[in-house]
């Protein structure tokens, strides 16, 4: 197993480029199930979750070819309808095949994702929506078995909670359904918007893109002709690198990004005292003498993303005063707290709120990655700590960050991937 070794204290400089968004790439790959053509996808991030999704498409009978930096996905001859436990257990986002497989084949089996490190993460809202569109759902032997032999019908779906992959599943199902589907309280994340834009370019009429209420006019079962796609930049990767530069009191640029997708994050960095020069597709961040404490409450887009909470906690540990971080989306997304405390952070947890005392002097230590974003918080802490940090179980990081150690090494970090 690999681990990361970081010698803290190195200043970062220069420019780090952001890769394509993992969370945009996964629904795009799922949407190829709706296509009758081979789909060219550029800027697909080289991360484990994307590789797993490509493998899933191949297991379903599709093919994936790499060509001049792009991936061409052909799902026209797809015949399989089962997303197996072996795949789903490594990647919950496999649930994204539910809507498109059901809409295309009138039947599918998707292994039911279990709970995960950050919470129970049920998929009840996905299932209720499919039922409302006419599917019969049975859970047996750990699998969701969905059937809609006469196809799916447009209807009104009112989500109790804003769910990102739930909205994406319904959007893809609705694109092939008969008639109009109205989605109320739909997620508005940029990744959801890109999915909608791709579908409109394929001829599906969608009203309300980027708002919480969509109306989608389905093709009535006819497969779509998807356009060539370039995956949007990863806003969480961009935010993570900004935090890394901030933590090391350095001046450097994060490029190939979409600043308008991370306003909630850049606003917090400004509040903490950092100077940000925001250009059309890059941000240069400069250090501050004194890191101000902050208050963060995670919420749906355009609010502060839960996927950036852990990285800000590492930074807040070094602020000159007490900060508060309240996690509103997931019930157990504080696994990084214990590891940050091992490095010298002073953090008290009460329910879904973390109180960070600040003024910590972080020291390198052996720490354990527990989930994807918790792992990146440990990298940030390690970069700012005195001495050596070894982060174990970095397969979590590899799920969502492309060549993290190479990219950080490229801007001056002393970081290496080693074998246990
Ligand atoms: C997606 C992102 C993940 C991010 C999260 C929140 C992908 C692949 N993953 O995850 O990185 O952290 O959004 O921004 O895009 N819920 C239910 N029932 C459901 C579905 C969701 O109760 O059927 C709850 C969840 O437990 C959670 C909340 O709704 O409390 C939001 O979750 P959701 O937006 O669905 O997260 P994911 O789509 O799984």
């Amino acid at each position: 197993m690999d681990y990361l070794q970081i010698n803290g204290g190195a200043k970062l400089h220069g420019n780090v480029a952001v890769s394509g968004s993992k969370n945009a790439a996964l629904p795009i790959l799922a949407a190829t199930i709706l296509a009758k053509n081979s789909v060219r996808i550029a800027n697909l991030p080289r991360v484990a979750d994307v590789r797993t999704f490509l493998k899933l498409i191949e297991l379903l009978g599709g093919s994936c070819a790499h060509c001049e930096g792009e991936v061409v996905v052909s799902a026209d001859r797809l015949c399989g309808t089962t997303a197996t436990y072996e795949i789903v257990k490594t990647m919950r986002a496999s649930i994204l095949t539910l809507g498109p497989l059901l809409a295309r084949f009138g039947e599918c089996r998707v292994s039911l994702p279990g709970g995960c490190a950050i919470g129970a993460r049920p998929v009840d809202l996905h299932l209720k929506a499919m039922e409302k569109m006419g599917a019969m759902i049975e859970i047996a032997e750990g699998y969701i078995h969905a059937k809609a032999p006469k196809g799916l019908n447009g209807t009104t779906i009112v989500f109790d909670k804003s769910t990102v992959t739930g909205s994406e599943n319904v959007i893809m199902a609705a694109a092939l359904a008969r008639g109009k589907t109205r989605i109320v309280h739909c997620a508005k994340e940029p990744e959801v918007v890109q999915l909608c834009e791709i579908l409109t370019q394929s001829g599906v009429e969608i009203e309300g893109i980027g708002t919480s209420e969509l109306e989608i006019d389905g093709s009535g079962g006819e497969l779509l002709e998807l356009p060539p796609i370039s995956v949007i930049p990863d806003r969480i990767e961009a935010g993570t690198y900004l935090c890394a530069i901030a933590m090391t009191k350095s001046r450097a640029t994060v490029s190939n990004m979409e600043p308008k997708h991370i306003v909630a994050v850049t606003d917090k960095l400004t509040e903490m005292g950092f100077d940000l020069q925001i250009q059309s597709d890059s941000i240069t961040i400069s250090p501050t003498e004194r890191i101000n404490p902050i208050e963060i409450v995670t919420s749906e887009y355009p609010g502060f993303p839960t996927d950036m909470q852990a990285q800000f906690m590492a930074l807040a540990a070094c602020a000159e005063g007490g900060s508060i971080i309240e996690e509103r989306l997931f019930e157990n997304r504080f696994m990084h707290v214990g590891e940050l405390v091992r490095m010298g952070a002073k953090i008290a947890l009460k329910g879904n709120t973390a109180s960070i005392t600040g003024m910590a002097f972080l020291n390198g230590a052996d720490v354990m990655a527990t989930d994807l974003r918790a792992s990146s918080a440990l990298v940030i802490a390690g970069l700012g700590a005195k001495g050596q940090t070894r982060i174990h179980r970095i397969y979590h990081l590899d799920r969502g960050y492309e060549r993290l150690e190479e990219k950080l090494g490229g801007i001056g970090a002393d970081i290496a991937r080693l074998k246990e």
Side-chain angles (χ1 to χ4, degrees):
M1 223 187 282
D2 292 355
Y3 69 95
L4 284 182
Q5 180 172 291
I6 300 173
N7 290 310
K11 291 278 182 216
L12 306 185
H13 51 80
N15 173 48
V16 58
V18 170
S19 301
S21 157
K22 166 183 88 69
N23 286 356
L26 301 177
I28 287 170
L29 291 173
T32 63
I33 296 172
L34 306 172
K36 59 184 170 197
N37 60 317
S38 297
V39 188
R40 296 188 79 85
I41 310 175
N43 207 29
L44 204 58
R46 290 175 197 182
V47 298
D49 274 9
V50 164
R51 284 191 290 277
T52 306
F53 217 109
L54 290 170
K55 191 170 149 203
L56 172 54
I57 288 174
E58 284 177 343
L59 286 171
L60 292 169
S63 70
C64 311
H66 294 260
C67 171
E68 292 167 9
E70 296 185 350
V71 176
V72 181
V73 181
S74 309
D76 49 330
R77 295 206 197 121
L78 218 69
C79 48
T81 54
T82 301
T84 61
Y85 175 69
E86 282 63 40
I87 291 278
V88 178
K89 77 174 183 209
T90 61
M91 184 187 60
R92 297 182 56 82
S94 315
I95 189 71
L96 284 166
T97 54
L98 177 72
L101 283 176
L102 182 59
R104 175 165 169 177
F105 296 106
E107 181 171 15
C108 68
R109 285 174 79 236
V110 178
S111 176
L112 188 64
C116 81
I118 63 172
R121 299 186 80 176
V123 290
D124 56 317
L125 303 177
H126 302 233
L127 303 186
K128 271 190 213 158
M130 295 301 142
E131 279 178 330
K132 185 109 194 268
M133 294 178 82
M136 284 170 301
I137 308 263
E138 232 181 77
I139 310 284
E141 293 159 350
Y143 277 78
I144 303 161
H145 194 163
K147 279 189 193 164
K150 293 190 184 137
L152 295 170
N153 294 314
T155 180
T156 297
I157 309 285
V158 183
F159 278 120
D160 292 344
K161 282 186 192 168
S162 170
T163 158
V164 175
T165 49
S167 300
E168 290 163 347
N169 245 332
V170 175
I171 290 165
M172 290 186 280
L176 241 60
R178 206 176 302 112
K180 288 189 177 168
T181 303
R182 200 160 72 92
I183 312 177
V184 180
H185 202 187
C186 182
K188 296 181 288 195
E189 272 68 2
E191 297 77 21
V192 179
V193 170
Q194 179 167 42
L195 175 66
C196 289
E197 283 168 352
I198 289 163
L199 293 173
T200 53
Q201 286 164 35
S202 316
V204 179
E205 272 179 42
I206 306 184
E207 274 175 36
I209 296 178
T211 74
S212 58
E213 198 165 323
L214 295 185
E215 191 170 270
I216 303 169
D217 199 357
S219 72
E222 202 181 307
L223 292 182
L224 309 175
E225 175 103 20
L226 261 57
I229 297 161
S230 179
V231 179
I232 57 170
D234 196 311
R235 62 194 167 102
I236 305 302
E237 188 194 8
T240 302
Y241 290 138
L242 286 173
C243 286
I245 300 163
M247 186 68 160
T248 53
K249 302 188 173 67
S250 308
R251 182 174 196 275
T253 301
V254 179
S255 65
N256 191 29
M257 60 170 296
E258 196 64 79
K260 66 174 186 290
H261 289 167
I262 57 164
V263 175
V265 168
T266 48
D267 280 357
K268 286 293 168 199
L269 287 168
T270 306
E271 230 177 286
M272 290 177 102
F274 297 99
D275 178 45
L276 275 73
Q277 278 173 272
I278 302 179
Q279 312 288 337
S280 61
D281 68 348
S282 70
I283 298 180
T284 301
I285 179 164
S286 303
T288 171
E289 281 294 303
R290 176 183 187 279
I291 302 181
N292 300 320
I294 30 148
E295 280 188 27
I296 288 177
V297 178
T298 63
S299 76
E300 297 85 17
Y301 189 84
F304 190 92
T306 171
D307 286 353
M308 282 301 305
Q309 175 255 100
Q311 299 89 316
F312 268 75
M313 196 177 296
L315 209 46
C318 303
E320 297 203 13
S323 298
I324 301 276
I325 299 184
E326 189 182 335
E327 171 57 51
R328 288 255 179 100
L329 269 76
F330 295 110
E331 64 268 29
N332 191 25
R333 207 169 198 182
F334 282 133
M335 308 272 282
H336 45 285
V337 169
E339 302 302 298
L340 289 174
V341 167
R342 299 189 70 247
M343 295 179 73
K346 295 177 205 109
I347 306 170
L349 267 184
K350 194 166 181 201
N352 63 348
T353 303
S355 305
I356 305 115
T357 304
M359 309 289 279
F361 189 70
L362 299 181
N363 279 300
D366 279 283
V367 287
M368 202 73 91
T370 48
D371 74 62
L372 174 56
R373 306 304 170 184
S375 322
S376 58
L378 299 179
V379 172
I380 290 166
L383 291 172
K386 183 163 182 279
Q388 195 167 78
T389 298
R390 283 171 299 277
I391 307 173
H392 305 274
R393 297 203 184 152
I394 54 163
Y395 52 85
H396 290 291
L397 266 178
D398 295 336
R399 281 189 39 228
Y401 288 92
E402 180 179 304
R403 299 178 292 112
L404 178 98
E405 70 280 9
E406 254 179 67
K407 287 194 186 189
L408 284 172
I411 55 169
D414 184 346
I415 180 169
R417 177 182 288 259
L418 300 168
K419 295 254 176 250
E420 298 277 6

